[in-house]
Amino acid sequence: DGAARSAIGETDCHQLAEDLFASEIAEALYKSAHKHEFEQLIVVAPPKALGTLREAFREEVAERVVAEVPKDFTSHPIPELARLLSAASA
């Protein structure tokens, strides 16, 4: 069609926001780990976000992760979460 096309893809603002959020969570957990505020950590996140978090965790946090649940529970009411987590870990 004669129109010039860019080799650079469009910026995925949603993905950038998720990556920033994961980075902020990882940093907060790093600070908490240094304050000895937790010994073990179970990470629950959608699969893609879980991978992003895993990459962002520093060693002090990663060594405390005892379980990962690759599920998205954001649309579920809080009282239902215990049941869903129990089912996910079974």
Side-chain angles (χ1 to χ4, degrees), residues 27-42:
E27 185 63 24
L29 288 170
Y30 174 71
K31 289 176 181 177
S32 291
H34 271 276
K35 294 177 186 174
H36 304 287
E37 293 178 343
F38 65 95
E39 292 180 23
Q40 297 180 327
L41 181 66
I42 298 172

Side-chain angles (χ1 to χ4, degrees), residues 14-36:
H14 182 74
Q15 186 60 50
L16 289 174
E18 276 189 19
D19 293 347
L20 177 60
F21 179 72
S23 176
E24 290 172 350
I25 292 295
E27 185 63 24
L29 288 170
Y30 174 71
K31 289 176 181 177
S32 291
H34 271 276
K35 294 177 186 174
H36 304 287

Side-chain angles (χ1 to χ4, degrees), residues 2-77:
R5 294 180 182 240
S6 172
I8 300 173
E10 290 183 33
T11 301
D12 184 346
C13 292
H14 182 74
Q15 186 60 50
L16 289 174
E18 276 189 19
D19 293 347
L20 177 60
F21 179 72
S23 176
E24 290 172 350
I25 292 295
E27 185 63 24
L29 288 170
Y30 174 71
K31 289 176 181 177
S32 291
H34 271 276
K35 294 177 186 174
H36 304 287
E37 293 178 343
F38 65 95
E39 292 180 23
Q40 297 180 327
L41 181 66
I42 298 172
V43 182
V44 180
K48 189 172 183 178
L50 184 60
T52 303
L53 282 168
R54 195 181 297 122
E55 290 176 11
F57 288 157
R58 297 190 199 183
E59 183 179 344
E60 294 85 351
V61 175
E63 65 190 13
R64 290 173 168 84
V65 175
V66 296
E68 295 177 347
V69 180
K71 301 278 185 181
D72 183 354
F73 293 133
T74 56
S75 63
H76 298 281

